[in-house]
Amino acid sequence: MKNSIGVDIGGTKVAIGIVNETGLVKEQSIIPTDLSISPFDMISKINVEIKNIITQAGLKQEDITGIGIGAPGPLDSKNGMILCPPNLPTWKDIPIQKWVEDEFSIPVKLENDANAAALAEKWIGAGQKNDDFIYMTVSTGIGSGIISDGKLLHGRKGNAGDVGHIVVDPSFGQCTCGQYGCLEWIASGTAIAREGSKIMGEKLTTAEVFNLYDQNHTDIIPYMNRVFHVLGVACVTLINMFDTEKIVIGGGVSNSGETLFNPIRSYVQSYALNPDGRKTEIVPSQLKQSSGVVGAAALWMDNVL
Ligand SMILES: [Zn+2]
């Protein structure tokens, strides 16, 4: 059976797994992302861990079809470069594909992490039956991977689908990117914790802010309604632009369940432009934790798309 390796690089941890051709993670290892060492040294640690899990699985390098890396953007997937991701602040113009390839006799591919997660949903998750669907992650940030006409949409360098920085409400104030009213600035997990803390005058987590909303806390309700509203606006924008069949929402914030999904669905049912668009399914991710690893490994599986 075919095996490939998925590497999911995040701001706090790196998950590395061996995935077989049915999408099963056979061996997995998680190491912290150490931003106090150079990117080259951190990637060397990842390479050591890849070698370890190949050995632990009782495999050899020739048993592995390829290594897929999912990483935060902006990146240049065509040239295998990580460019300047905000949550890896010391990583500037890093030729990660080459630095991994140099250590192995296995080919390596790089993909934006949201795109990789979309591939995972296509392969074994909520998008298996869809040739047109969009995966949107609402987590530390907000991003998306777009499957259109049965293909993953890349754009010029692999950064297509950066829905976190579409403007949905300029009155909300200035995003870290400089624009006013970006989706991510209002509705990401980071934003919910920040704004909820500001409103309540104490340090709160995203989950605590959701709890206050569920308890009908009058100070939190107007802000959370704004969060649901702008997520609805973003979904309608995606539906109107891509004529998609389904939007799959993943990331930590999606764990809040129907509290989040119901208002988004009702906005889409009211405001998508065409009658079919109003019926677009809005569903939770079916992969949860391992989607980054599975999606990165999917880059080497020809049965995915
Ligand atoms: Zn922005």
Side-chain angles (χ1 to χ4, degrees):
M1 191 179 280
K2 218 168 160 176
N3 293 290
S4 63
I5 287 179
V7 179
D8 180 29
I9 301 180
T12 57
K13 61 181 167 44
V14 179
I16 300 155
I18 298 182
V19 182
N20 73 14
E21 65 191 8
T22 68
L24 182 79
V25 181
K26 291 164 69 176
E27 198 79 44
Q28 182 162 308
S29 167
I30 293 172
I31 58 173
T33 307
D34 188 348
L35 293 171
S36 72
I37 60 175
S38 72
F40 184 84
D41 288 345
M42 185 61 220
I43 291 165
S44 301
K45 280 191 171 185
I46 294 170
N47 288 336
V48 169
E49 211 49 41
I50 293 172
K51 287 173 190 161
N52 286 345
I53 64 164
I54 294 173
T55 311
Q56 279 160 23
L59 297 172
K60 296 196 169 63
Q61 286 200 29
E62 50 267 36
D63 301 322
I64 307 292
T65 309
I67 298 171
I69 302 170
L75 48 68
D76 178 349
S77 61
K78 287 171 187 164
N79 291 302
M81 302 277 293
I82 290 179
L83 298 180
C84 51
N87 51 359
L88 299 170
T90 55
W91 294 41
K92 293 261 189 296
D93 300 326
I94 304 302
I96 185 166
Q97 185 177 324
K98 181 176 186 322
W99 287 355
V100 177
E101 261 167 1
D102 284 350
E103 289 293 317
F104 296 92
S105 54
I106 309 169
V108 179
K109 284 183 190 174
L110 174 68
E111 187 62 80
N112 169 320
D113 49 9
N115 284 356
L119 284 181
E121 295 292 340
K122 175 68 188 160
W123 190 12
I124 55 166
Q128 287 177 62
K129 295 192 174 72
N130 304 94
D131 278 338
D132 288 272
F133 78 95
I134 295 171
Y135 171 80
M136 179 162 79
T137 171
V138 185
S139 181
T140 318
I142 297 181
S144 80
I146 298 164
I147 307 280
S148 182
D149 292 330
K151 295 192 196 83
L152 179 64
L153 191 75
H154 281 100
R156 187 155 62 118
K157 291 189 170 177
N159 296 302
D162 202 344
V163 71
H165 297 277
I166 60 171
V167 170
V168 288
D169 182 358
S171 74
F172 201 85
Q174 194 173 20
C175 175
T176 48
C177 76
Q179 291 205 100
Y180 282 78
C182 287
L183 178 64
E184 181 172 300
W185 185 245
I186 304 169
S188 64
T190 313
I192 293 168
R194 184 193 69 232
E195 293 298 320
S197 301
K198 211 192 289 174
I199 292 164
M200 297 305 294
E202 58 175 315
K203 189 126 187 64
L204 297 173
T205 64
T206 310
E208 286 166 342
V209 179
F210 267 95
N211 284 340
L212 290 173
Y213 177 81
D214 285 334
Q215 292 157 17
N216 289 315
H217 200 290
T218 46
D219 296 334
I220 284 291
I221 288 172
Y223 163 67
M224 287 306 287
N225 284 340
R226 224 166 153 181
V227 167
F228 303 141
H229 175 84
V230 295
L231 286 169
V233 171
C235 286
V236 165
T237 303
L238 291 170
I239 292 163
N240 290 349
M241 286 185 73
F242 295 100
D243 198 12
T244 197
E245 299 172 288
K246 186 183 267 183
I247 296 180
V248 180
I249 304 181
V253 175
S254 69
N255 295 334
S256 42
E258 294 307 298
T259 305
L260 177 82
F261 281 85
N262 279 335
I264 297 176
R265 284 189 191 116
S266 113
Y267 190 91
V268 166
Q269 282 158 14
S270 304
Y271 296 109
L273 192 61
N274 79 67
D276 285 334
R278 285 176 220 138
K279 294 180 202 146
T280 306
E281 290 177 75
I282 312 290
V283 300
S285 157
Q286 286 181 4
L287 271 112
K288 316 284 179 202
Q289 294 296 346
S290 57
S291 70
V293 165
V294 173
L299 295 169
W300 289 100
M301 297 291 175
D302 39 26
N303 57 339
V304 176
L305 288 173

